[in-house]
mmCIF file of all heavy atoms in Angstrom:
data_model
loop_
_atom_site.group_PDB
_atom_site.id
_atom_site.type_symbol
_atom_site.label_atom_id
_atom_site.label_comp_id
_atom_site.label_asym_id
_atom_site.label_seq_id
_atom_site.Cartn_x
_atom_site.Cartn_y
_atom_site.Cartn_z
ATOM 1 N N PRO A 1 55.153 -8.089 -20.091
ATOM 2 C CA PRO A 1 54.812 -9.049 -21.109
ATOM 3 C C PRO A 1 53.347 -9.433 -21.212
ATOM 4 O O PRO A 1 52.711 -9.779 -20.230
ATOM 5 C CB PRO A 1 55.659 -10.283 -20.763
ATOM 6 C CG PRO A 1 56.797 -9.698 -19.951
ATOM 7 C CD PRO A 1 56.164 -8.546 -19.209
ATOM 8 N N ARG A 2 52.813 -9.332 -22.405
ATOM 9 C CA ARG A 2 51.473 -9.773 -22.753
ATOM 10 C C ARG A 2 51.428 -9.730 -24.262
ATOM 11 O O ARG A 2 51.665 -8.744 -24.903
ATOM 12 C CB ARG A 2 50.408 -8.807 -22.138
ATOM 13 C CG ARG A 2 50.673 -7.336 -22.461
ATOM 14 C CD ARG A 2 49.704 -6.462 -21.668
ATOM 15 N NE ARG A 2 49.915 -5.039 -22.031
ATOM 16 C CZ ARG A 2 50.781 -4.215 -21.428
ATOM 17 N NH1 ARG A 2 51.575 -4.696 -20.491
ATOM 18 N NH2 ARG A 2 50.881 -2.909 -21.816
ATOM 19 N N SER A 3 51.132 -10.875 -24.845
ATOM 20 C CA SER A 3 51.209 -10.910 -26.317
ATOM 21 C C SER A 3 50.470 -12.097 -26.901
ATOM 22 O O SER A 3 50.383 -13.174 -26.274
ATOM 23 C CB SER A 3 52.700 -11.078 -26.721
ATOM 24 O OG SER A 3 52.809 -11.191 -28.124
ATOM 25 N N TYR A 4 49.882 -11.853 -28.046
ATOM 26 C CA TYR A 4 49.193 -12.930 -28.772
ATOM 27 C C TYR A 4 50.205 -13.919 -29.317
ATOM 28 O O TYR A 4 49.844 -15.033 -29.770
ATOM 29 C CB TYR A 4 48.312 -12.361 -29.903
ATOM 30 C CG TYR A 4 47.061 -11.698 -29.424
ATOM 31 C CD1 TYR A 4 46.992 -10.349 -29.312
ATOM 32 C CD2 TYR A 4 45.965 -12.476 -29.071
ATOM 33 C CE1 TYR A 4 45.815 -9.775 -28.754
ATOM 34 C CE2 TYR A 4 44.844 -11.910 -28.544
ATOM 35 C CZ TYR A 4 44.723 -10.517 -28.455
ATOM 36 O OH TYR A 4 43.583 -9.983 -27.935
ATOM 37 N N PHE A 5 51.496 -13.555 -29.303
ATOM 38 C CA PHE A 5 52.505 -14.543 -29.768
ATOM 39 C C PHE A 5 52.569 -15.797 -28.907
ATOM 40 O O PHE A 5 53.180 -16.792 -29.330
ATOM 41 C CB PHE A 5 53.887 -13.834 -29.865
ATOM 42 C CG PHE A 5 54.028 -13.007 -31.095
ATOM 43 C CD1 PHE A 5 54.284 -11.634 -31.024
ATOM 44 C CD2 PHE A 5 53.897 -13.568 -32.369
ATOM 45 C CE1 PHE A 5 54.382 -10.887 -32.137
ATOM 46 C CE2 PHE A 5 54.020 -12.796 -33.502
ATOM 47 C CZ PHE A 5 54.269 -11.439 -33.394
ATOM 48 N N LEU A 6 52.019 -15.737 -27.706
ATOM 49 C CA LEU A 6 51.953 -16.944 -26.924
ATOM 50 C C LEU A 6 51.109 -18.005 -27.633
ATOM 51 O O LEU A 6 51.363 -19.149 -27.508
ATOM 52 C CB LEU A 6 51.262 -16.622 -25.562
ATOM 53 C CG LEU A 6 51.099 -17.766 -24.584
ATOM 54 C CD1 LEU A 6 52.481 -18.308 -24.176
ATOM 55 C CD2 LEU A 6 50.301 -17.320 -23.350
ATOM 56 N N GLU A 7 50.144 -17.573 -28.484
ATOM 57 C CA GLU A 7 49.361 -18.483 -29.279
ATOM 58 C C GLU A 7 50.068 -18.771 -30.613
ATOM 59 O O GLU A 7 49.997 -19.911 -31.110
ATOM 60 C CB GLU A 7 47.985 -17.833 -29.632
ATOM 61 C CG GLU A 7 47.088 -17.629 -28.460
ATOM 62 C CD GLU A 7 45.737 -16.978 -28.941
ATOM 63 O OE1 GLU A 7 45.282 -17.368 -30.039
ATOM 64 O OE2 GLU A 7 45.211 -16.129 -28.181
ATOM 65 N N ILE A 8 50.714 -17.809 -31.180
ATOM 66 C CA ILE A 8 51.275 -17.961 -32.509
ATOM 67 C C ILE A 8 52.555 -18.753 -32.575
ATOM 68 O O ILE A 8 52.715 -19.604 -33.489
ATOM 69 C CB ILE A 8 51.516 -16.535 -33.162
ATOM 70 C CG1 ILE A 8 50.214 -15.698 -33.170
ATOM 71 C CG2 ILE A 8 52.116 -16.669 -34.511
ATOM 72 C CD1 ILE A 8 49.095 -16.351 -33.948
ATOM 73 N N ILE A 9 53.476 -18.498 -31.636
ATOM 74 C CA ILE A 9 54.795 -19.170 -31.702
ATOM 75 C C ILE A 9 54.722 -20.661 -31.716
ATOM 76 O O ILE A 9 55.439 -21.308 -32.533
ATOM 77 C CB ILE A 9 55.702 -18.641 -30.550
ATOM 78 C CG1 ILE A 9 56.111 -17.199 -30.836
ATOM 79 C CG2 ILE A 9 56.904 -19.512 -30.364
ATOM 80 C CD1 ILE A 9 56.898 -16.538 -29.733
ATOM 81 N N PRO A 10 53.832 -21.301 -30.927
ATOM 82 C CA PRO A 10 53.791 -22.798 -31.000
ATOM 83 C C PRO A 10 53.322 -23.319 -32.352
ATOM 84 O O PRO A 10 53.446 -24.520 -32.615
ATOM 85 C CB PRO A 10 52.762 -23.133 -29.869
ATOM 86 C CG PRO A 10 52.892 -22.008 -28.932
ATOM 87 C CD PRO A 10 53.032 -20.802 -29.787
ATOM 88 N N GLN A 11 52.733 -22.432 -33.202
ATOM 89 C CA GLN A 11 52.258 -22.894 -34.482
ATOM 90 C C GLN A 11 53.322 -22.785 -35.583
ATOM 91 O O GLN A 11 53.149 -23.261 -36.729
ATOM 92 C CB GLN A 11 51.001 -22.139 -34.905
ATOM 93 C CG GLN A 11 49.875 -22.247 -33.953
ATOM 94 C CD GLN A 11 48.658 -21.399 -34.367
ATOM 95 O OE1 GLN A 11 48.159 -21.575 -35.437
ATOM 96 N NE2 GLN A 11 48.241 -20.475 -33.548
ATOM 97 N N LEU A 12 54.443 -22.126 -35.289
ATOM 98 C CA LEU A 12 55.454 -21.923 -36.268
ATOM 99 C C LEU A 12 56.223 -23.173 -36.595
ATOM 100 O O LEU A 12 56.392 -24.027 -35.708
ATOM 101 C CB LEU A 12 56.474 -20.883 -35.770
ATOM 102 C CG LEU A 12 56.045 -19.415 -35.812
ATOM 103 C CD1 LEU A 12 57.042 -18.554 -34.954
ATOM 104 C CD2 LEU A 12 56.050 -18.887 -37.235
ATOM 105 N N GLY A 13 56.655 -23.312 -37.814
ATOM 106 C CA GLY A 13 57.572 -24.413 -38.197
ATOM 107 C C GLY A 13 56.954 -25.743 -38.301
ATOM 108 O O GLY A 13 57.577 -26.744 -37.949
ATOM 109 N N CYS A 14 55.730 -25.803 -38.756
ATOM 110 C CA CYS A 14 55.003 -27.099 -38.842
ATOM 111 C C CYS A 14 55.198 -27.834 -40.173
ATOM 112 O O CYS A 14 54.701 -28.913 -40.377
ATOM 113 C CB CYS A 14 53.523 -26.888 -38.644
ATOM 114 S SG CYS A 14 53.128 -26.086 -37.076
ATOM 115 N N GLY A 15 55.953 -27.212 -41.081
ATOM 116 C CA GLY A 15 56.168 -27.773 -42.382
ATOM 117 C C GLY A 15 57.160 -28.886 -42.337
ATOM 118 O O GLY A 15 57.844 -29.165 -41.378
ATOM 119 N N ALA A 16 57.383 -29.513 -43.562
ATOM 120 C CA ALA A 16 58.390 -30.501 -43.636
ATOM 121 C C ALA A 16 59.778 -29.934 -43.311
ATOM 122 O O ALA A 16 60.106 -28.844 -43.754
ATOM 123 C CB ALA A 16 58.394 -31.086 -45.082
ATOM 124 N N GLY A 17 60.548 -30.696 -42.575
ATOM 125 C CA GLY A 17 61.886 -30.237 -42.242
ATOM 126 C C GLY A 17 61.906 -29.279 -41.084
ATOM 127 O O GLY A 17 62.935 -28.738 -40.757
ATOM 128 N N SER A 18 60.787 -29.116 -40.390
ATOM 129 C CA SER A 18 60.822 -28.285 -39.192
ATOM 130 C C SER A 18 61.727 -28.827 -38.175
ATOM 131 O O SER A 18 61.807 -30.031 -37.950
ATOM 132 C CB SER A 18 59.371 -28.176 -38.567
ATOM 133 O OG SER A 18 59.494 -27.614 -37.266
ATOM 134 N N PRO A 19 62.546 -28.006 -37.529
ATOM 135 C CA PRO A 19 63.473 -28.453 -36.499
ATOM 136 C C PRO A 19 62.786 -28.927 -35.205
ATOM 137 O O PRO A 19 63.426 -29.494 -34.347
ATOM 138 C CB PRO A 19 64.366 -27.257 -36.222
ATOM 139 C CG PRO A 19 63.548 -26.067 -36.555
ATOM 140 C CD PRO A 19 62.699 -26.519 -37.708
ATOM 141 N N ASP A 20 61.461 -28.669 -35.115
ATOM 142 C CA ASP A 20 60.796 -28.983 -33.876
ATOM 143 C C ASP A 20 59.405 -29.575 -34.235
ATOM 144 O O ASP A 20 58.420 -28.902 -34.356
ATOM 145 C CB ASP A 20 60.554 -27.715 -33.016
ATOM 146 C CG ASP A 20 59.918 -28.044 -31.696
ATOM 147 O OD1 ASP A 20 59.784 -29.228 -31.416
ATOM 148 O OD2 ASP A 20 59.544 -27.129 -30.955
ATOM 149 N N PRO A 21 59.317 -30.932 -34.433
ATOM 150 C CA PRO A 21 58.057 -31.520 -34.819
ATOM 151 C C PRO A 21 56.939 -31.236 -33.812
ATOM 152 O O PRO A 21 55.777 -31.249 -34.148
ATOM 153 C CB PRO A 21 58.372 -33.052 -34.843
ATOM 154 C CG PRO A 21 59.884 -33.087 -35.052
ATOM 155 C CD PRO A 21 60.384 -31.888 -34.327
ATOM 156 N N ALA A 22 57.277 -31.020 -32.559
ATOM 157 C CA ALA A 22 56.246 -30.788 -31.560
ATOM 158 C C ALA A 22 55.493 -29.498 -31.883
ATOM 159 O O ALA A 22 54.377 -29.312 -31.335
ATOM 160 C CB ALA A 22 56.853 -30.667 -30.147
ATOM 161 N N ALA A 23 56.017 -28.625 -32.723
ATOM 162 C CA ALA A 23 55.303 -27.428 -33.082
ATOM 163 C C ALA A 23 53.998 -27.660 -33.797
ATOM 164 O O ALA A 23 53.157 -26.756 -33.878
ATOM 165 C CB ALA A 23 56.232 -26.506 -33.912
ATOM 166 N N ALA A 24 53.859 -28.851 -34.322
ATOM 167 C CA ALA A 24 52.598 -29.165 -35.055
ATOM 168 C C ALA A 24 51.395 -29.248 -34.168
ATOM 169 O O ALA A 24 50.262 -29.257 -34.632
ATOM 170 C CB ALA A 24 52.752 -30.491 -35.832
ATOM 171 N N ARG A 25 51.654 -29.407 -32.870
ATOM 172 C CA ARG A 25 50.512 -29.457 -31.917
ATOM 173 C C ARG A 25 49.950 -28.064 -31.662
ATOM 174 O O ARG A 25 50.720 -27.107 -31.373
ATOM 175 C CB ARG A 25 50.948 -30.116 -30.656
ATOM 176 C CG ARG A 25 51.383 -31.555 -30.772
ATOM 177 C CD ARG A 25 51.486 -32.191 -29.393
ATOM 178 N NE ARG A 25 52.448 -31.543 -28.593
ATOM 179 C CZ ARG A 25 53.765 -31.940 -28.534
ATOM 180 N NH1 ARG A 25 54.154 -32.935 -29.260
ATOM 181 N NH2 ARG A 25 54.613 -31.316 -27.762
ATOM 182 N N ALA A 26 48.671 -27.892 -31.792
ATOM 183 C CA ALA A 26 48.078 -26.580 -31.533
ATOM 184 C C ALA A 26 48.193 -26.225 -30.085
ATOM 185 O O ALA A 26 48.006 -27.118 -29.236
ATOM 186 C CB ALA A 26 46.587 -26.612 -31.966
ATOM 187 N N PRO A 27 48.558 -25.003 -29.727
ATOM 188 C CA PRO A 27 48.748 -24.656 -28.325
ATOM 189 C C PRO A 27 47.386 -24.529 -27.619
ATOM 190 O O PRO A 27 46.376 -24.340 -28.224
ATOM 191 C CB PRO A 27 49.403 -23.265 -28.395
ATOM 192 C CG PRO A 27 48.921 -22.752 -29.712
ATOM 193 C CD PRO A 27 48.813 -23.871 -30.616
ATOM 194 N N ARG A 28 47.454 -24.700 -26.300
ATOM 195 C CA ARG A 28 46.299 -24.509 -25.480
ATOM 196 C C ARG A 28 45.735 -23.102 -25.689
ATOM 197 O O ARG A 28 46.517 -22.098 -25.658
ATOM 198 C CB ARG A 28 46.616 -24.701 -24.001
ATOM 199 C CG ARG A 28 45.450 -24.617 -23.079
ATOM 200 C CD ARG A 28 45.830 -24.677 -21.643
ATOM 201 N NE ARG A 28 46.585 -25.906 -21.412
ATOM 202 C CZ ARG A 28 47.179 -26.095 -20.190
ATOM 203 N NH1 ARG A 28 47.126 -25.256 -19.216
ATOM 204 N NH2 ARG A 28 47.835 -27.277 -20.038
ATOM 205 N N GLY A 29 44.456 -22.959 -25.941
ATOM 206 C CA GLY A 29 43.856 -21.630 -26.092
ATOM 207 C C GLY A 29 43.964 -21.116 -27.543
ATOM 208 O O GLY A 29 43.510 -20.060 -27.825
ATOM 209 N N SER A 30 44.513 -21.896 -28.465
ATOM 210 C CA SER A 30 44.637 -21.492 -29.842
ATOM 211 C C SER A 30 43.313 -21.724 -30.536
ATOM 212 O O SER A 30 42.323 -22.274 -29.975
ATOM 213 C CB SER A 30 45.727 -22.252 -30.550
ATOM 214 O OG SER A 30 45.324 -23.549 -30.888
ATOM 215 N N THR A 31 43.244 -21.341 -31.812
ATOM 216 C CA THR A 31 41.996 -21.556 -32.566
ATOM 217 C C THR A 31 41.841 -22.987 -32.976
ATOM 218 O O THR A 31 40.802 -23.364 -33.520
ATOM 219 C CB THR A 31 42.049 -20.680 -33.854
ATOM 220 O OG1 THR A 31 43.204 -21.024 -34.554
ATOM 221 C CG2 THR A 31 42.020 -19.193 -33.456
ATOM 222 N N GLY A 32 42.818 -23.869 -32.699
ATOM 223 C CA GLY A 32 42.660 -25.283 -32.954
ATOM 224 C C GLY A 32 43.189 -25.703 -34.289
ATOM 225 O O GLY A 32 43.256 -26.906 -34.574
ATOM 226 N N SER A 33 43.608 -24.859 -35.176
ATOM 227 C CA SER A 33 44.153 -25.193 -36.453
ATOM 228 C C SER A 33 45.385 -24.346 -36.697
ATOM 229 O O SER A 33 45.534 -23.226 -36.158
ATOM 230 C CB SER A 33 43.154 -24.964 -37.549
ATOM 231 O OG SER A 33 42.755 -23.644 -37.627
#
């Protein structure tokens, strides 16, 4: 396992109605937005 999805997955589902509001937080090591 090695993947850029470690950065991408925490950014998914940030819109209204997301089942996981915590996803709106940018992950450690992400581009910050």
Side-chain angles (χ1 to χ4, degrees):
R2 50 189 184 273
S3 177
Y4 287 100
F5 280 120
L6 183 62
E7 297 180 36
I8 303 300
I9 287 174
Q11 300 179 58
L12 284 167
C14 302
S18 167
D20 185 9
R25 295 193 298 269
R28 184 186 303 174
S30 76
T31 55
S33 61

